[in-house]
Amino acid sequence: MKRTKKIESYLRGAKTMSLTIKELAEELDVSKTAIRKHMDDEFRDTYTEKNGNKILITDDGVKVLKDQFENSKATEEKTQTAPKSSAAKKSNSSASSNVPAPAEETKLLAEQLEEQAKQIKQKDKQIAELHQLLDQSQRLQLDVQNKLKQLENKQPQPKAIETKEDNIPSDYRPGRADNNSAYQADSEDKKHWWQFWN
């Protein structure tokens, strides 16, 4: 029925017979998404027309899309019908060519060992240099500390504030006052707070 409408529109005087994406997808037995994927911007500019909300693909565009789908189907069929044994033979021959011979393998391992030995020697040399630098740094630090001690010993010590020892007893503790004197010796009996009212 859809075809009859197209044929009728063609007979009415339309110069080209355009198909919608849905109609072309049905004709080629593919999805609409597959058709849209093949329609890039250049294809849309040259082979499509817009009729209201519908995108119509011209006859030339239909031919181009048919050729693309035929080519893709042909390549799929070739890959599916190709004998699997020949592919397996190719993979086996390429895998066997990648495996080195025992003599080559030992030579390769020997070269790797030599390279690693060189790297270890370089690392040992670097470690020795770092130890030497660390020793120098520690010596310098020790010299600086010794000079600081010498400077401290040369400077005179500040004198303590002179006080009159006559007025302050040696066993003085502040905070204890006696009614008779301003200072009280520690030798007196201690009174507890409840004993003050006696």
Side-chain angles (χ1 to χ4, degrees), residues 172-185 188 191 196:
Y172 166 74
R173 285 193 177 173
R176 297 194 176 241
D178 190 13
N179 293 338
N180 297 335
S181 69
Y183 303 107
Q184 181 181 8
E188 293 182 11
K191 291 186 176 183
F196 288 116

Side-chain angles (χ1 to χ4, degrees), residues 29-113:
D29 195 30
V30 295
S31 67
K32 294 188 293 185
T33 308
I35 299 237
R36 285 191 185 104
K37 284 183 181 178
H38 286 278
M39 294 173 55
D40 58 354
D41 291 335
E42 183 179 333
F43 181 88
R44 287 178 188 260
D45 290 341
T46 54
Y47 298 116
T48 60
E49 301 169 350
K50 195 142 189 183
N51 186 7
N53 288 338
K54 294 182 180 182
I55 296 175
L56 300 174
I57 303 170
T58 61
D59 288 337
D60 294 335
V62 170
K63 289 178 186 176
V64 169
L65 286 175
K66 281 183 180 179
D67 290 341
Q68 287 179 358
F69 280 105
E70 286 176 6
N71 289 338
S72 65
K73 284 183 182 179
T75 56
E76 284 178 16
E77 288 175 4
K78 286 181 183 178
T79 57
Q80 289 177 355
T81 59
K84 295 180 182 178
S85 61
S86 65
K89 288 178 184 177
K90 289 180 183 178
S91 65
N92 287 339
S93 65
S94 65
S96 64
S97 66
N98 290 337
V99 176
E104 293 174 5
E105 189 174 325
T106 55
K107 183 179 177 183
L108 179 65
L109 290 173
E111 290 174 1
Q112 289 177 350
L113 283 174

Side-chain angles (χ1 to χ4, degrees), residues 114-131:
E114 288 177 21
E115 184 66 30
Q116 289 175 352
K118 288 178 185 178
Q119 290 176 354
I120 290 173
K121 285 180 183 178
Q122 286 178 337
K123 297 294 180 188
D124 288 342
K125 185 178 177 182
Q126 290 174 349
I127 290 171
E129 290 173 357
L130 288 174
H131 277 294

Side-chain angles (χ1 to χ4, degrees), residues 143-160:
D143 287 345
V144 168
Q145 287 177 352
N146 288 337
K147 287 184 180 183
L148 282 174
K149 284 181 183 178
Q150 288 175 358
L151 286 174
E152 288 175 356
N153 291 337
K154 287 182 181 180
Q155 289 181 350
Q157 297 294 330
K159 293 183 179 179

